[in-house]
Amino acid sequence: MIKPKIVAIDDEVGFIDMLSNYFSIRGYDINVSVRGVNGIEMIKQKNPDVVLCDLKMPGIDGDEVLRLTKSMQNSPKLIFITAYDDGGKTKDRLLKLGAYAYFDKPIASLKALEDIINKAVNDN
Ligand SMILES: [Mg+2]
């Protein structure tokens, strides 16, 4: 089985390292960026199946990453992972704009995230 190709963008180095370790150990092709601007370049170059993205980042934030992925011909599925909490308002807004899923940080279960990633690549 071919594992999904992932790009992960988050300005928190420890968190991005943790994601990178978890998914690379399990055989996923994962590329990570701590800067939104580099992350967008990475998405264009790597053409990932799934993008994992923080919401609040300096410079280019999660909203802009969502806009970019939605404008692409082969849009990767965008999964937000964020500690930002406004009672679900932002979550609802992003899902309406086309985000595939929204996870609260810290992540309660990396296995649950992995399952959603695998589900995302099989959804159209
Ligand atoms: Mg952040």
Side-chain angles (χ1 to χ4, degrees):
M1 188 183 97
I2 294 171
K3 298 262 177 108
K5 199 191 288 182
I6 304 168
V7 164
I9 312 168
D10 194 307
D11 60 323
E12 214 177 291
V13 178
F15 187 73
I16 212 87
D17 282 350
M18 187 268 295
L19 287 180
S20 180
N21 288 335
Y22 180 90
F23 286 102
S24 55
I25 283 168
R26 285 163 181 79
Y28 292 80
D29 177 353
I30 180 165
N31 288 275
V32 302
S33 173
V34 291
R35 304 283 300 175
V37 60
N38 299 338
I40 278 179
E41 280 314 305
M42 204 175 262
I43 292 169
K44 289 177 181 164
Q45 280 171 22
K46 302 281 179 184
N47 241 309
D49 303 295
V50 174
V51 174
L52 307 177
C53 192
D54 189 16
L55 185 59
K56 302 288 176 188
M57 297 181 283
I60 288 177
D61 64 5
D63 266 282
E64 277 180 73
V65 176
L66 177 60
R67 266 196 296 280
L68 170 90
T69 56
K70 283 286 144 192
S71 74
M72 293 173 72
Q73 214 166 31
N74 270 323
S75 295
K77 302 288 195 324
L78 183 52
I79 298 174
F80 280 105
I81 306 171
T82 177
Y84 185 69
D85 182 9
D86 58 3
K89 262 199 300 197
T90 294
K91 175 181 180 175
D92 291 346
R93 182 176 64 78
L94 294 169
L95 291 175
K96 254 183 220 144
L97 287 172
Y100 185 78
Y102 189 102
F103 275 77
D104 291 316
K105 204 197 270 180
I107 290 218
S109 163
L110 282 168
K111 180 71 175 72
L113 176 62
E114 186 179 1
D115 289 345
I116 291 283
I117 288 170
N118 283 291
K119 185 172 175 292
V121 295
N122 294 310
D123 274 0
N124 280 315

